[in-house]
Amino acid sequence: SYPRILRTVRSIRTRLFLGLEVVDIDPDGRERFGNSAVYVDPERGIIGRYDKIKLVPFAEKIPGPDFVRKIVASYIGRPGKVLPDFSEGREQTIFEAGGVPFGAANCYEVVYPDFSCNVARKGGRFLVHISNEGWFRDSAELDQMLAICRFRAIESRMSIVRGTNTGISAFIEPTGRVVAEVKGKEVQGVLDGRIRVTTGGSLYRKVGDILAWLAVAAVVSGMVLHFWLTRKNGPPIVAGLR
C-alpha cells in the first residue's frame, strides 16, 4: 500500500523508483488498472508516474469479446471470471535524479528498439528498466532479456539500469557492456554503482529503422527487376563445355 511505501522511503531517506499496480477511480466510479512505475520522494510523496504503454497481449490486455477473456481466465485457473484489462499509458514520462533526466521501460517494452530511442529523443540520459520475470523462473528467458537490454543500450547510446524480481538485475553501459550484475537467478541481491551519462547520440537514434527498410526495399526492387528482365529477355543462357 502507499502508506507502507511512504514509510519505507522516509526511513531510508532517499527517493525510490518502483513498479506496482495502480488503481484509478473514474468520475463514474469505474476502476481503471495501470501497470505503472512511480517515483516517490521522502518529503513530497509521489513526484512522478509512468503508465506502461505497450501491454502484453493476452496477459495485460485481452483482445476480443468477453468469451475470449473467459477462456483465458479458465486457462490461468480463474474459471468464470471476466478478467479486466490494464489501461494503456499515453506518453513516456521523463523523471529526474540528481539533475539528470531519465526514462523508464516496464518489462517487455524493452524488446522494442524504438522505445529507448524515444526516451533519448525526449531528453532522457539513461533508462531504468523494471521487470517482473517471475513467470519464467530460472529459464533462459532471463538471459535473453538481459541481452535485449544490452542491444537497446547500444542502439540508443544510453546506460540502462535493470531491476528485476528474479533476475538478472544489472548496470549496462552505453556500449552494451555489463559493468555489474546480481549473479544467478531467483536470488536476492543489491547492486550499488555509478551510471555513465553520455552526451553523444547514435545513427539509429536519429534515423530509426529507415536503414533497415531501405535494405528491404533494395532487395524487393532487385527481385522485381530480375523478374521483369527474365520475362522480357527470357531466362539466361548458360553455356557449358563437355
Side-chain angles (χ1 to χ4, degrees), residues 59-236:
E60 296 169 330
K61 190 174 185 64
I62 304 173
D66 283 347
F67 79 87
V68 177
R69 303 172 187 271
K70 291 180 179 179
I71 292 173
V72 175
S74 298
Y75 178 76
I76 66 174
R78 298 177 63 186
K81 302 288 185 180
V82 177
L83 301 178
D85 283 335
F86 283 100
S87 298
E88 294 175 334
R90 297 182 179 180
E91 62 177 341
Q92 291 170 296
T93 306
I94 300 299
F95 305 92
E96 175 270 325
V100 180
F102 71 93
N106 193 330
C107 199
Y108 123 115
E109 287 180 321
V110 81
V111 306
Y112 293 92
D114 62 325
F115 193 90
S116 58
C117 287
N118 286 337
V119 169
R121 294 185 191 113
K122 293 188 69 172
R125 305 289 292 278
F126 65 94
L127 183 74
V128 176
H129 178 222
I130 54 176
S131 186
N132 171 16
E133 294 170 23
W135 302 88
F136 304 98
R137 304 302 297 261
D138 61 349
S139 70
E141 188 273 348
L142 309 182
D143 303 282
Q144 292 168 354
M145 288 296 283
L146 177 61
I148 288 171
C149 279
R150 296 179 67 183
F151 277 103
R152 299 295 87 87
I154 295 168
E155 291 163 347
S156 61
R157 282 295 185 268
M158 187 166 56
S159 292
I160 296 179
V161 179
R162 186 161 194 266
T164 71
N165 56 350
T166 60
I168 302 169
S169 298
F171 283 82
I172 305 171
E173 290 195 332
T175 59
R177 184 170 71 97
V178 178
V179 294
E181 67 177 280
V182 176
K183 299 293 184 180
K185 303 172 184 178
E186 296 190 281
V187 297
Q188 294 184 351
V190 176
L191 283 179
D192 182 12
R194 293 181 177 271
I195 301 169
R196 177 178 294 184
V197 177
T198 59
T199 56
S202 67
L203 178 62
Y204 184 80
R205 187 196 294 188
K206 289 181 172 63
V207 304
D209 291 327
I210 291 178
L211 294 179
W213 285 114
L214 287 175
V216 172
V219 172
V220 173
S221 299
M223 294 174 63
V224 171
L225 179 62
H226 174 76
F227 177 77
W228 181 76
L229 290 175
T230 301
R231 290 289 299 270
K232 180 181 179 181
N233 301 324

Side-chain angles (χ1 to χ4, degrees), residues 1-11 16 18 40:
S1 64
Y2 176 62
R4 175 187 284 183
I5 293 172
L6 194 56
R7 286 196 301 270
T8 301
V9 171
R10 287 174 175 170
S11 68
L16 184 64
L18 71 159
V40 188

Side-chain angles (χ1 to χ4, degrees), residues 38-72:
V38 295
Y39 199 24
V40 188
D41 182 84
E43 302 299 328
R44 298 157 55 195
I46 294 177
I47 58 174
R49 169 178 164 184
Y50 165 67
D51 297 325
K52 187 175 184 181
I53 296 173
K54 298 182 181 296
L55 301 176
V56 181
F58 295 100
E60 296 169 330
K61 190 174 185 64
I62 304 173
D66 283 347
F67 79 87
V68 177
R69 303 172 187 271
K70 291 180 179 179
I71 292 173
V72 175

